[in-house]
Amino acid sequence: MLNFLQRIGKSLMFPIATLPAAAILVRLGMEDMLNIPFMTAAGNGILGNLSLIFAIGIAMGFAKDGSGAAALAGAIGYLVLDSGIEAINEDVKMGVFAGVIAGITGGMLYNRFHDVKFPDYLSFFGGKRFVPIITSAVMVLLAFIFGHLWVYPQQVLDITTNWILNSGAPGVGVYGILNRLLIPVGLHHVINALIWFDFGSFTTSGGDVVHGEINRFLNGDPEAGYFLAGFFPVMMFGLPAACLAMYAAAKKHRKAAVGGMFLSIALTSFLTGVTEPIEFSFMFLSPLLYAVHSVLTGLSMVIAYLFEIRHGFGFSAGLIDYVLNFGIAENPLMLLVLGIFMAAIYFFVFYFLIVKLDLKTPGREDEDEDFVEETQEVGQPNDETDDFDTKAYYYLEALGGPENIESLDYCTTRLRMQMKDRDQANENKLKRYGSRGVMKVGKRNLQVIVGTSVEFLAEAMKKRIEQGNMTPPQTQGQTENPESDKPNDRSVSEKDFEMPMDGKVLPLSEVPDEVFAQGMMGQGFAVDPEGDTFHSPIDGKVVQVFPTKHAIGLELDNGIEILIHIGLDTVKLNGEGFETLVEAEQMVKQGDPLIRVNMNEVREKAPSVITPIIFTNLENETVNLHKSGSVKKGESGIITVGS
């Protein structure tokens, strides 16, 4: 459940990324700025359709490949849900929840049906085209359910909203504390979505009704901004002061090493309000320190409320938003006074706790001399390198290699991975390479806090994983060796290919199917199998798992592709008797199980279980078959491929 909620939080980053543009347009178009009404209207075009934008963004975030088809399904799902509910009960107002539900539904249905196959006369509606169709059908059902039942959770939400919005300082303080406490599990985006985009309502001078603290503040609601103002002193002053405290408490000989990092992340927080790189530098080292930070955030929120300070932001509470919205804020200069006060508290509390409790914040770690020597080798990255390919190599190495990562994703500041063996991850190495910390969720999930450059690192890691590339990056002074690199080498040696299961090796000419026997599909050989599980004959990548599970496509590092077609005419079995054990894009090693087959069932229903193994994309290369007759699984020397 936690992992599912984290996926929602991560997916919310797509629509939230539109807010700075909307806020700037709304603000610049106002009378006290440029006085361009259509610019304000354009910004409100975004803010007024957040539910639809949420549906699109969350659907893309949930989709396994971020496809636009999932985004379209999310949009259609929201339109069907919203219109259906309105037709049943006009008093039901789901707000951004409708967009969240539609986005989740669209994304999950995309993952389930994006590769569905239909008979030829319906094939136009198959694959990704089917996703919006099935999403519409499901949302009709959900519209009926929510149209009749949402009145009850809506009452609970209304009561909660009224308490938070009308309880004054306690409500603001509770929100501030929860906002920080939920960051470690990535759920702060969920509670923020409620406060920022749904709670409260305000009717503009043009008669439009807007919801949410951010939208109401930007459109001039005199009651909005209390749930936003208290963040400015923390993000612009408090956390940068915490960085100064950690720097002051660092070991003398380590100050130079950590000083640049602290300056960078403190400046990021001050200017933009992005605080996670700072928070992750201490939250796991000392939960007590992080709990104090959460309470101090709540305190800042309460003090700002008591001094009747209203201020707001379109993205986060940094200097940019402070200056941009200064003209529509109330008592904004008091935030600077409060900021200095919070900076003093943060510095002295953090410094006292770090020194008194001997907390291992950056610069105070116990040093491992062997590890320091190891990580000082030429070519290894420091935490500020912008060579993301090099950094990707060392991150993958520290995580146990590409084969140890089942899935890789990222959010604003952290990598999110599902691991085969999480214990293989070396936290010390990850920190040396620039990680701010590591978080373990559930049994196999691992999150590595990187910072705002996480997107570039994640994409570099994905590229290496997809290519199966764990070649060390070129180090300084090293020269390329064309003979050893052989980028165009499309040969397959005897050791590169192993028998995928026990069976009898046959030339293609003996396959009882003309298409394979005459080499129309490509060169190769066939196996008359004697087991029930096919294993990978190569080190490489799974490029395709057929929906009917009767065939699988593999690719070697040099680009040569291999098709294992289990039995003849087995496509007609529609997957009956087959169990796939891998997924597309998964890296495999020789001997890894690929597909398990109920041979008795397949023999009864298919013309033959003889399995052609075809090299599908050879150009000038030739497959040479060296063995025939009975061969054991894992035996090499069966074939070679060369020019």
Side-chain angles (χ1 to χ4, degrees):
M1 184 62 182
L2 178 60
N3 188 47
F4 180 77
L5 291 173
Q6 287 176 332
R7 288 177 67 189
I8 298 176
K10 171 253 180 184
S11 300
L12 282 169
M13 287 295 91
F14 285 102
I16 287 175
T18 65
L19 289 181
I24 290 173
L25 288 172
V26 170
R27 186 70 190 99
L28 291 180
M30 289 185 173
E31 291 184 6
D32 63 321
M33 296 290 284
L34 300 181
N35 193 21
I36 305 176
F38 85 85
M39 188 177 289
T40 296
N44 280 325
I46 297 175
L47 297 175
N49 291 283
L50 284 176
S51 296
L52 177 60
I53 294 172
F54 273 37
I56 294 170
I58 292 175
M60 288 180 63
F62 263 76
K64 60 176 65 176
D65 56 4
S67 171
L72 177 62
I76 290 176
Y78 168 73
L79 295 174
V80 172
L81 180 64
D82 185 61
S83 299
I85 290 175
E86 184 177 0
I88 294 172
N89 188 343
E90 292 183 355
D91 295 329
V92 173
K93 303 296 181 184
M94 293 189 67
V96 295
F97 279 109
V100 172
I101 291 169
I104 294 171
T105 304
M108 295 180 70
L109 289 174
Y110 173 84
N111 293 338
R112 174 65 179 84
F113 293 106
H114 74 281
D115 56 357
V116 67
K117 298 290 191 302
F118 291 136
D120 289 345
Y121 60 90
L122 291 175
S123 60
F124 176 81
F125 299 102
K128 294 179 180 179
R129 294 188 185 95
F130 181 67
V131 178
I133 298 173
I134 187 65
T135 301
S136 299
V138 171
M139 298 314 291
V140 167
L141 176 62
L142 291 180
F144 178 81
I145 294 172
F146 286 119
H148 289 91
L149 299 182
W150 187 254
V151 289
Y152 304 109
Q154 182 170 301
Q155 290 175 357
V156 175
L157 285 172
D158 288 342
I159 294 172
T160 304
T161 301
N162 290 330
W163 181 84
I164 292 177
L165 293 179
N166 298 318
S167 61
V172 172
V174 168
Y175 167 60
I177 293 173
L178 290 178
N179 174 274
R180 296 294 97 180
L181 285 180
L182 291 174
I183 282 181
V185 291
L187 300 183
H188 57 302
H189 299 307
V190 178
I191 189 173
N192 286 344
L194 298 178
I195 299 291
W196 293 356
F197 311 127
D198 200 52
F199 281 7
S201 62
F202 173 68
T203 303
T204 67
S205 57
D208 298 322
V209 178
V210 295
H211 300 276
E213 190 78 357
I214 289 178
N215 205 352
R216 291 188 294 117
F217 172 79
L218 292 175
N219 280 280
D221 185 352
E223 299 300 321
Y226 294 113
F227 284 83
L228 305 175
F231 287 119
F232 286 97
V234 173
M235 297 180 178
M236 291 176 58
F237 297 94
L239 284 173
C243 287
L244 181 61
M246 288 187 282
Y247 173 78
K251 296 177 181 178
K252 188 174 182 180
H253 68 283
R254 293 279 291 141
K255 286 183 184 291
V258 300
M261 179 197 74
F262 282 133
L263 178 61
S264 173
I265 59 180
L267 192 60
T268 298
S269 179
F270 177 75
L271 290 176
T272 69
V274 176
T275 61
E276 287 183 325
I278 298 177
E279 291 162 326
F280 279 113
S281 69
F282 64 81
M283 70 166 57
F284 300 117
L285 298 171
S286 174
L288 171 63
L289 209 58
Y290 193 77
V292 169
H293 162 54
S294 300
V295 172
L296 290 178
T297 302
L299 175 64
S300 176
M301 301 281 285
V302 169
I303 295 175
Y305 179 87
L306 293 176
F307 278 88
E308 298 184 350
I309 303 172
R310 290 192 310 107
H311 210 322
F313 47 79
F315 175 65
S316 194
L319 179 65
I320 296 173
D321 272 296
Y322 177 83
V323 172
L324 182 66
N325 297 318
F326 185 91
I328 57 174
E330 185 176 338
N331 297 325
L333 291 176
M334 282 298 298
L335 284 178
L336 301 181
V337 177
L338 178 56
I340 295 172
F341 172 72
M342 294 304 300
I345 292 180
Y346 265 87
F347 178 83
F348 288 112
V349 170
F350 268 59
Y351 185 82
F352 174 79
L353 290 176
I354 291 170
V355 174
K356 185 71 174 178
L357 302 178
D358 192 23
L359 302 178
K360 304 304 179 183
T361 48
R364 293 178 59 84
E365 306 95 333
D366 294 326
E367 296 173 84
D368 184 336
E369 296 300 328
D370 293 335
F371 178 69
V372 171
E373 290 179 6
E374 173 190 345
T375 55
Q376 287 176 343
E377 295 176 6
V378 175
Q380 294 203 350
N382 57 42
D383 60 350
E384 296 180 359
T385 181
D386 58 359
D387 183 353
F388 291 103
D389 179 64
T390 297
K391 206 166 187 177
Y393 169 82
Y394 287 107
Y395 264 74
L396 288 171
E397 179 194 43
L399 290 164
E403 63 278 2
N404 193 38
I405 301 174
E406 293 189 345
S407 65
L408 169 64
D409 208 338
Y410 61 91
C411 61
T412 310
T413 57
R414 63 185 104 171
L415 298 170
R416 296 172 180 263
M417 294 164 289
Q418 189 172 65
M419 315 292 291
K420 286 184 178 179
D421 182 2
R422 194 169 61 188
D423 293 336
Q424 289 188 31
N426 189 320
E427 295 185 28
N428 288 330
K429 283 188 175 182
L430 289 169
K431 289 179 181 178
R432 180 67 180 179
Y433 301 153
S435 165
R436 314 298 186 208
V438 172
M439 179 180 177
K440 298 176 181 179
V441 182
K443 295 182 179 179
R444 293 196 299 160
N445 292 325
L446 186 72
Q447 297 180 6
V448 180
I449 295 82
V450 176
T452 52
S453 63
V454 65
E455 177 181 356
F456 305 106
L457 175 61
E459 293 302 325
M461 291 173 66
K462 287 180 179 180
K463 185 175 180 179
R464 278 187 170 267
I465 292 173
E466 289 171 0
Q467 296 174 347
N469 176 17
M470 277 303 285
T471 303
Q474 195 80 14
T475 56
Q476 191 173 16
Q478 205 174 5
T479 58
E480 294 185 7
N481 184 348
E483 291 299 320
S484 62
D485 290 343
K486 294 183 180 178
N488 297 318
D489 181 11
R490 284 171 55 85
S491 64
V492 178
S493 69
E494 292 185 354
K495 293 183 178 180
D496 291 336
F497 190 97
E498 292 182 352
M499 188 70 170
M501 70 152 39
D502 294 345
K504 184 179 180 182
V505 172
L506 305 170
L508 277 185
S509 59
E510 295 185 18
V511 175
D513 182 290
E514 289 300 311
V515 173
F516 290 109
Q518 294 183 16
M520 297 179 188
M521 295 288 292
Q523 303 176 58
F525 68 102
V527 175
D528 190 355
E530 296 175 0
D532 63 358
T533 302
F534 285 83
H535 298 77
S536 177
I538 63 164
D539 293 341
K541 179 175 70 172
V542 178
V543 293
Q544 184 176 14
V545 178
F546 285 67
T548 47
K549 306 177 185 179
H550 73 292
I552 188 168
L554 306 173
E555 182 182 44
L556 288 96
D557 292 344
N558 60 12
I560 291 179
E561 296 180 358
I562 301 172
L563 173 69
I564 301 177
H565 191 287
I566 303 172
L568 303 177
D569 287 341
T570 45
V571 65
K572 297 178 181 178
L573 301 183
N574 291 318
E576 294 181 14
F578 297 91
E579 178 187 359
T580 54
L581 306 176
V582 292
E583 297 178 349
E585 303 302 318
Q586 180 175 330
M587 306 305 298
V588 291
K589 295 286 188 182
Q590 287 180 328
D592 287 352
L594 302 175
I595 298 179
R596 185 176 294 117
V597 185
N598 185 332
M599 284 298 181
N600 292 331
E601 182 178 356
V602 174
R603 281 191 175 95
E604 290 178 2
K605 298 180 180 180
S608 173
V609 294
I610 289 178
T611 298
I613 299 178
I614 307 298
F615 293 78
T616 58
N617 67 337
L618 298 183
E619 296 173 357
N620 300 318
E621 300 83 10
T622 302
V623 175
N624 303 297
L625 185 60
H626 302 295
K627 290 186 179 182
S628 61
S630 295
V631 179
K632 293 294 185 182
K633 181 187 81 68
E635 226 178 287
S636 60
I638 303 164
I639 59 101
T640 57
V641 176
S643 301

